[in-house]
């Protein structure tokens, strides 16, 4: 057991290549948020031999003391007691025990994947990327900000001193930006569709708001330029929010990336980290394609590249 910041005791020091919990498949009824995608990606990676099912790390819910590194106690009280208050009311999901459990597990899951990245160069959380949750309130589909919890947790362990969040979801990572605003130890990059949720935007270290309909070539050019200050910052860890909602057939996005464009994007981030010796942990973020199979295929492609960087290879038949 290791003490974290403020005396937090972090019991589980697992450093896996792949993290996922079946509890992420929360029942929210008919909804644009496809919670089934997580298990579907896991099954695809296992079926292709990238990871043994028994080797997928199933995180326990993050303890309260760990969550308090990124979230206000009174807000956590609301979640613990399932209270509808001005702090929880901005969520677009129901508030129930199963949902709170899933988000607490997702926070521990991103922390575990970050530890895995430090050990293997890259790791994958088949979940997470809940970038709209701020210190004191829920927003969008996000109750807890797993990215902030993981960074603050690793810093509390003394494992890292500088981190970056590279957020390429189609929506700005406003919660992450607000949590780390003014923190010189964390670089937050958000490349997003400007005329989209949320409104108003928060202030990341670097925000790039794209016009509607931006496609593969223009996106790649913008990304290459925007990553340069991240590399200059010299992070000891990158958390990559690899939302696949910039895809041209996404229901909540208005960009026009093809599957090839998403793959080029992933390579620029993941191989860019690898070539510079920067550990990188993938989180999923959004993905709401009209065909669920497209969302699953795009997420799985991100995972394959990250796992290859980590040294994994698919099982040969």
């Amino acid at each position: 057991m290791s003490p974290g910041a403020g005396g937090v005791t972090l019991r589980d020091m697992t450093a896996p290549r792949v993290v996922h919990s079946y509890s992420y498949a929360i029942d929210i009824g008919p909804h644009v948020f496809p919670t089934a995608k997580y298990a579907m990606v896991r099954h695809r990676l296992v079926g292709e031999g990238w990871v043994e099912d028994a080797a997928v790390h199933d995180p326990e819910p993050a303890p309260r003391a760990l969550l308090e590194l990124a979230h206000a106690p009174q807000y956590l009280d609301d979640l613990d007691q399932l209270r509808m208050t001005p702090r929880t009311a901005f969520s677009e999901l129901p508030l129930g025990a199963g949902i709170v459990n899933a988000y607490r597990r997702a926070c521990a899951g991103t922390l575990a994947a970050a530890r895995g990245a430090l050990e293997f160069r890259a790791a994958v959380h088949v979940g997470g990327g809940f970038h709209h949750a701020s210190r004191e309130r829920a927003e969008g589909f996000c109750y807890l900000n797993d990215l902030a919890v993981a960074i603050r947790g690793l810093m509390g362990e003394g494992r890292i001193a500088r981190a970056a969040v590279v957020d390429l979801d189609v929506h700005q990572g406003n919660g992450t930006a607000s949590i780390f605003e003014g923190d010189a130890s964390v670089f937050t990059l958000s490349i997003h569709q400007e005329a989209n949720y949320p409104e108003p935007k928060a202030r990341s270290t670097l925000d790039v708001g794209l016009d509607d309909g931006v496609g593969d070539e223009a996106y790649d050019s913008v990304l290459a330029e925007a990553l340069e200050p991240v590399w200059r910052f010299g992070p000891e860890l990158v958390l990559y929010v690899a939302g696949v909602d910039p895809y041209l057939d996404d229901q909540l996005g208005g960009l026009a990336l093809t599957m090839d464009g998403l793959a080029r994007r992933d390579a620029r981030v993941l191989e860019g980290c690898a070539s510079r010796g920067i550990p990188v942990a993938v989180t999923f973020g959004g993905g709401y394609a009209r065909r669920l199979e497209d969302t699953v295929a795009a997420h799985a492609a991100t995972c394959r590249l990250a796992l290859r960087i980590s040294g994994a290879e698919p099982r040969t038949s």
Side-chain angles (χ1 to χ4, degrees), residues 152-207:
R152 291 268 167 84
L154 281 181
M155 288 181 171
E157 294 169 14
R159 301 287 301 276
I160 61 171
R162 296 163 69 81
V165 178
V166 173
D167 190 336
L168 303 187
D169 193 277
V170 79
H171 306 106
Q172 193 214 30
N174 59 324
T176 311
S178 69
I179 289 172
F180 291 119
E181 186 171 5
D183 186 340
S185 68
V186 181
F187 190 108
T188 54
L189 166 65
S190 181
I191 301 179
H192 49 266
Q193 182 188 5
E194 185 66 19
N196 202 332
Y197 180 92
E199 185 60 42
K201 305 289 191 286
R203 180 181 298 175
S204 308
T205 310
L206 176 59
D207 285 298

Side-chain angles (χ1 to χ4, degrees), residues 2-274:
S2 296
V8 177
T9 298
L10 306 176
R11 296 169 297 165
D12 187 350
M13 301 297 287
T14 303
R17 281 189 172 90
V18 180
V19 180
H20 169 260
S21 171
Y22 284 113
S23 71
Y24 298 165
I26 46 181
D27 182 6
I28 54 176
H31 201 283
V32 71
F33 178 19
T35 62
K37 71 179 184 177
Y38 303 116
M40 293 172 72
V41 173
R42 173 184 180 153
H43 295 156
R44 181 166 297 195
L45 297 176
V46 170
E48 294 172 354
W50 286 97
V51 62
E52 295 292 332
D53 195 64
V56 176
H57 175 64
D58 184 356
E60 294 294 323
R64 169 70 180 247
L66 178 60
L67 299 178
E68 286 184 356
L69 298 179
H71 289 288
Q74 63 269 29
Y75 173 56
L76 296 175
D77 289 343
D78 291 343
L79 295 182
D80 289 344
Q81 299 171 37
L82 306 180
R83 294 191 305 225
M84 188 57 64
T85 72
R87 292 179 288 267
T88 58
F90 281 90
S91 170
E92 297 176 32
L93 296 177
L95 179 58
I99 284 181
V100 173
N101 173 68
Y103 280 86
R104 288 182 61 196
R105 287 179 184 269
C107 288
T110 295
L111 177 57
R115 292 198 193 105
L118 294 177
E119 181 165 334
F120 299 111
R121 299 201 304 162
V124 170
H125 184 191
V126 182
F130 297 117
H131 59 172
H132 295 311
S134 65
R135 185 175 184 273
E136 296 185 339
R137 76 176 198 181
E139 193 171 322
F141 304 154
C142 307
Y143 274 109
L144 293 168
N145 194 305
D146 55 295
L147 306 157
V149 169
I151 289 172
R152 291 268 167 84
L154 281 181
M155 288 181 171
E157 294 169 14
R159 301 287 301 276
I160 61 171
R162 296 163 69 81
V165 178
V166 173
D167 190 336
L168 303 187
D169 193 277
V170 79
H171 306 106
Q172 193 214 30
N174 59 324
T176 311
S178 69
I179 289 172
F180 291 119
E181 186 171 5
D183 186 340
S185 68
V186 181
F187 190 108
T188 54
L189 166 65
S190 181
I191 301 179
H192 49 266
Q193 182 188 5
E194 185 66 19
N196 202 332
Y197 180 92
E199 185 60 42
K201 305 289 191 286
R203 180 181 298 175
S204 308
T205 310
L206 176 59
D207 285 298
V208 182
L210 301 175
D211 292 337
D212 298 357
V214 166
D216 294 350
E217 295 302 324
Y219 190 100
D220 184 61
S221 177
V222 167
L223 176 58
E225 181 177 352
L227 285 172
E228 287 304 319
V230 177
W231 308 142
R232 290 195 298 271
F233 177 75
E236 297 166 283
L237 172 74
V238 164
L239 295 186
Y240 176 30
V241 184
V244 298
D245 40 11
Y247 179 55
L248 56 82
D249 199 33
D250 194 88
Q251 298 174 84
L252 299 184
L255 300 182
L257 271 63
T258 66
M259 288 291 184
D260 286 344
L262 289 172
R264 189 193 304 186
R265 175 199 73 164
D266 291 342
R268 192 169 287 284
V269 175
L270 295 172
E271 292 176 359
C273 287

